[in-house]
Amino acid sequence: VRPILFKERARDMPEQLVDMQWKLGMAVSSDTCRSLNSPYVSLLLKIAEPSGQISQKALEMTIPQFQNFHKQFKEMAAIMETV
Amino acid sequence: MSDVEATKSLNGLLNGLAQMVYYNKSEITEDLLKNELYPEMGPEEFKALYEKMKGLVKSIATADMDHAQLEAFLTAQTKRQGGSGLSAEQAAALSRFWKSQRVRVRESLLAQCRWEPALRGLSWRVDLQTGDSSGNADHRGPVALMELELGRSGQDSEFVCLEFDETKVNQVLKKMADIQESMDRIVHST
């Protein structure tokens, strides 16, 4: 079990994930770099605050970052099964 | 300035340019570079050198040149007449610079293109709920708390703390498996 570093900021009022949308994209070119060739995973999280208000959070990850995120989720699920 | 000193100063200038343009080091300025590296040079002469080198570095970075492209590009630059030409030593310095900095510059350019927040950090824990204050036993079961640290390049982090029961975790895992499957399909078709 990993050491948990929770800072005070949000842990008292955790929010619920209502929905998660995803997109797999490839950044091809930009004004500062003509040849990006960079795949990425884009997530749109729909989150319900304790008040009931729904907010959206978008985030972007590289492929290795997503794979690590996925791995952590699997570990978390495995622990939940044993608890 | 001797040849050795000129090379050292040019290396410093190129690295300084990378710090300013790609690595967000706001403490590095054109004036600082002049005072540190070319204190004896006239201001107009330095400005010309600075702009020339900056332009060349940007051209090389924007095209993300490989070894062959870089050599062709630098050779063409050395053949140019007049003030815009490049000496052989300068071309060599640019070549060394790009070989050592290419990966880091590219990562910086990629980060600049990411306009949505990135996942900077992640921590989680699993609690076991044993009931709530109303004596309701229905709420027993493992609960996962996950804290996501999100942030855009150069900006402070935002923290989002999410709570999941087992059902929700499995729903998310299913979506992640779909993402992984999509990625695998693309890799195999390219």
Side-chain angles (χ1 to χ4, degrees):
Chain A
V1 181
R2 70 201 58 259
I4 301 303
L5 298 156
F6 265 151
K7 291 97 178 174
E8 266 87 43
R9 54 206 159 218
R11 69 186 285 203
D12 291 342
M13 309 264 279
E15 301 172 306
Q16 304 287 329
L17 183 68
V18 170
D19 190 27
M20 181 174 99
Q21 289 175 274
W22 61 268
K23 179 171 76 183
L24 186 56
M26 175 75 88
V28 171
S29 185
S30 81
D31 60 334
T32 52
C33 186
R34 294 284 179 264
S35 162
L36 285 171
N37 291 325
S38 171
Y40 62 91
V41 174
S42 187
L43 296 179
L44 185 65
L45 308 177
K46 288 213 178 101
I47 294 167
E49 291 166 28
S51 64
Q53 185 136 2
I54 307 278
S55 67
Q56 290 190 151
K57 289 270 185 285
L59 58 147
E60 218 174 278
M61 290 179 233
T62 63
I63 303 301
Q65 281 173 346
F66 168 74
Q67 285 171 334
N68 178 54
F69 189 34
H70 192 183
K71 180 167 164 259
Q72 302 265 348
F73 237 87
K74 283 188 207 165
E75 280 180 32
M76 202 169 80
I79 297 216
M80 284 176 96
E81 262 181 62
T82 65
V83 155
Chain B
M1 201 182 252
S2 74
D3 277 352
V4 169
E5 281 166 5
T7 301
K8 232 177 117 186
S9 294
L10 186 57
N11 290 340
L13 180 61
L14 294 173
N15 284 320
L17 279 166
Q19 303 280 346
M20 281 173 73
V21 178
Y22 300 110
Y23 308 155
N24 289 322
K25 295 286 193 306
S26 53
E27 60 269 24
I28 312 260
T29 62
E30 189 181 335
D31 285 341
L32 183 81
L33 291 172
K34 176 171 189 320
N35 293 334
E36 293 283 315
L37 301 166
Y38 295 92
E40 311 294 310
M41 195 181 265
E44 274 169 30
E45 196 188 340
F46 175 75
K47 181 96 190 154
L49 177 67
Y50 174 83
E51 291 298 332
K52 180 161 94 181
M53 289 302 144
K54 189 168 162 188
L56 289 170
V57 167
K58 279 189 159 181
S59 293
I60 295 167
T62 301
D64 189 29
M65 290 185 190
D66 62 25
H67 179 76
Q69 289 166 327
L70 181 67
E71 294 308 309
F73 177 73
L74 290 175
T75 303
Q77 294 296 318
T78 56
K79 289 199 160 73
R80 289 175 76 168
Q81 305 288 32
S84 59
L86 213 58
S87 73
E89 291 77 32
Q90 287 175 328
L94 276 161
S95 182
R96 275 192 313 270
F97 164 78
W98 188 239
K99 280 192 178 83
S100 80
Q101 297 300 307
R102 182 186 180 187
V103 170
R104 202 174 158 197
V105 167
R106 190 167 161 70
E107 276 179 18
S108 163
L109 287 171
L110 282 171
Q112 281 175 35
C113 293
R114 262 172 234 137
W115 299 336
E116 300 291 8
L119 184 65
R120 285 180 174 165
L122 176 66
S123 37
W124 55 269
R125 78 162 191 255
V126 175
D127 287 353
L128 182 61
Q129 266 184 355
T130 52
D132 63 22
S133 55
S134 61
N136 189 344
D138 290 349
H139 293 268
R140 258 185 260 191
V143 167
L145 285 166
M146 181 178 266
E147 188 185 64
L148 304 166
E149 183 183 356
L150 307 175
R152 288 190 177 85
S153 182
Q155 290 182 10
D156 286 346
S157 291
E158 186 196 349
F159 294 87
V160 178
C161 189
L162 300 172
E163 193 180 73
F164 300 87
D165 59 18
E166 274 192 284
T167 307
K168 187 55 59 160
V169 165
N170 288 326
Q171 284 171 3
V172 173
L173 278 176
K174 171 77 181 54
K175 293 214 174 192
M176 288 181 158
D178 291 342
I179 296 172
Q180 186 64 55
E181 200 192 338
S182 260
M183 276 164 35
D184 294 341
R185 238 184 299 132
I186 289 168
V187 166
H188 287 125
S189 64
T190 51

